[in-house]
């Protein structure tokens, strides 16, 4: 007996005529029932990944607004447009879902710092690199600073552990030595290297953390996102002008 079946491969629907327990031949290609099952499993896997991406996007929004303690799984399910049972199928607890969202956000916030500290460029270029890198990341993910700061204030051990794993502490010593050498060579004024690193990171991160306030207090008649887009060069110039001789 011959019957028509359909499957999807790479998003393309394939019509095929199958014979039970026999190899089949659609358009010159030999297919079996086993291959048809594999194609359908691939389609289901793709759908599963798409659902997880939708859940993570919704979770980022809710956790950014309410933090771990204030967020509810039902809110995340509603934001994702799925039922709560399906959400629990993918993530059995709010804590597990939060851990995945938080770790991803923390890495996005730390990696520009790590890249800056490990950068072998000349110091002034290095400062420009970190400013541009940070502003590009935070313009794309503006919720990260407040999200990370709020959660780290309740449990700082997570960020310390992540810094150790990502090699941030080793890079810090390298940059401190570079700043000290520039002072000795007469390229920059006397400054505590740790203060310089702190100043750079503060000027990169704080504008995004304070964006909700300053968009009303100072930039009420301007698009603050446009203002932020132009800050990378201005911040780099400000820092460099403050230390160069």
């Amino acid at each position: 007996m011959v019957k028509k079946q359909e499957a999807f491969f790479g998003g393309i629907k394939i019509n095929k005529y199958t014979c039970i327990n026999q190899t089949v031949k659609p358009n010159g290609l030999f297919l079996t029932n086993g291959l048809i099952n594999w194609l359908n499993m691939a389609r289901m896997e793709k759908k599963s990944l798409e659902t997880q991406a939708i859940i993570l996007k919704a979770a980022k929004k809710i956790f950014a607004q309410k933090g771990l303690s204030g967020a509810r799984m039902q809110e995340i399910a509603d934001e994702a447009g799925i039922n709560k049972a399906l959400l629990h199928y993918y993530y059995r607890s709010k804590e597990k879902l939060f851990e995945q969202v938080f770790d991803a956000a923390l890495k996005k916030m730390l990696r520009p710092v790590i890249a800056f500290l490990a950068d072998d460029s000349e110091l002034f270029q290095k400062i420009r690199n970190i400013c541009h890198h940070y502003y590009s990341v935070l313009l794309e993910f503006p919720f990260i600073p407040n999200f990370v700061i709020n959660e780290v204030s309740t449990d700082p051990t997570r960020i310390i552990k992540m810094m150790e794993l990502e090699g941030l502490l080793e890079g810090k010593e390298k940059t401190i030595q570079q700043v000290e050498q520039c002072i000795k060579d007469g390229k920059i004024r006397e400054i505590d290297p740790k203060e310089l690193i702190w100043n750079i990171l503060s000027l990169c991160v704080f504008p995004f953390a304070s964006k909700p306030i300053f968009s009303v207090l100072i930039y009420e008649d301007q698009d603050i996102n446009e203002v932020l887009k132009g800050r990378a060069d201005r911040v780099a110039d400000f820092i460099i002008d403050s230390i160069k001789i």
Side-chain angles (χ1 to χ4, degrees):
M1 177 180 176
V2 178
K3 65 177 182 178
K4 185 177 179 181
Q5 291 190 356
E6 292 182 344
F8 290 80
F9 183 68
I12 301 173
K13 184 167 70 174
I14 303 172
N15 293 326
K16 31 182 109 52
Y17 289 88
T18 63
C19 298
I20 303 303
N21 298 325
Q22 293 183 21
T23 301
V24 298
K25 184 180 180 183
N27 301 325
L29 296 175
F30 285 89
L31 296 174
T32 65
N33 288 337
L35 180 55
I36 293 169
N37 290 336
W38 181 86
L39 291 170
N40 284 324
M41 287 176 63
R43 179 185 62 179
M44 292 172 63
E45 178 67 19
K46 180 182 177 184
K47 180 66 175 176
S48 176
L49 292 173
E50 289 172 349
T51 301
Q52 289 182 66
I54 291 170
I55 290 171
L56 289 174
K57 183 178 180 181
K60 287 176 189 176
K61 181 177 178 179
I62 300 301
F63 284 136
Q65 292 173 346
K66 302 190 174 183
L68 172 60
S69 60
R72 298 289 178 267
M73 289 292 267
Q74 186 62 59
E75 292 177 298
I76 295 170
D78 292 342
E79 181 67 28
I82 61 175
N83 60 53
K84 190 176 177 181
L86 183 58
L87 175 59
H88 278 287
Y89 171 79
Y90 287 103
Y91 297 95
R92 295 189 179 278
S93 71
K94 181 177 69 169
E95 288 72 22
K96 288 290 185 185
L97 178 54
F98 176 82
E99 186 175 317
Q100 186 166 344
V101 171
F102 181 79
D103 285 352
L106 188 55
K107 285 178 181 178
K108 285 190 179 296
M109 191 165 176
L110 285 179
R111 282 177 177 166
V113 184
I114 295 162
F116 164 68
L117 296 176
D119 192 348
D120 290 322
S121 302
E122 176 269 336
L123 182 61
F124 292 167
Q125 184 59 50
K126 188 171 179 174
I127 292 170
R128 293 193 182 281
N129 291 345
I130 179 63
C131 290
H132 279 280
H133 195 165
Y134 238 130
Y135 272 83
S136 65
V137 168
L138 296 182
L139 280 167
E140 185 177 359
F141 304 98
F143 74 91
I144 288 177
N146 284 328
F147 179 52
V148 171
I149 291 168
N150 286 340
E151 298 305 324
V152 165
S153 65
T154 61
D155 181 15
T157 58
R158 185 191 292 267
I159 193 170
I160 293 170
K161 192 176 295 183
M162 184 75 74
M163 287 191 296
E164 292 173 348
L165 289 174
E166 295 288 336
L168 187 146
L169 301 181
E170 292 87 344
K172 180 193 72 174
E173 295 305 318
K174 179 179 178 179
T175 298
I176 287 173
Q177 291 172 13
Q178 183 182 22
V179 173
E180 289 174 342
Q181 189 60 49
C182 286
I183 294 171
K184 289 179 182 177
D185 294 342
K187 294 181 179 178
I188 63 174
R189 67 175 180 80
E190 192 80 28
I191 186 172
D192 183 340
K194 296 175 185 177
E195 287 282 341
L196 177 59
I197 294 171
W198 198 352
N199 289 343
I200 293 168
L201 298 182
S202 297
L203 285 168
C204 288
V205 175
F206 182 73
F208 290 90
S210 62
K211 177 182 171 183
I213 298 173
F214 280 85
S215 61
V216 176
L217 185 63
I218 297 178
Y219 293 103
E220 72 279 4
D221 58 346
Q222 292 178 258
D223 183 346
I224 195 166
N225 289 319
E226 291 301 316
V227 174
L228 289 169
K229 286 178 184 178
R231 272 188 63 87
D233 281 321
R234 293 196 294 273
V235 168
D237 288 340
F238 179 80
I239 295 167
I240 292 168
D241 289 343
S242 72
I243 60 175
K244 72 180 181 180
I245 296 177

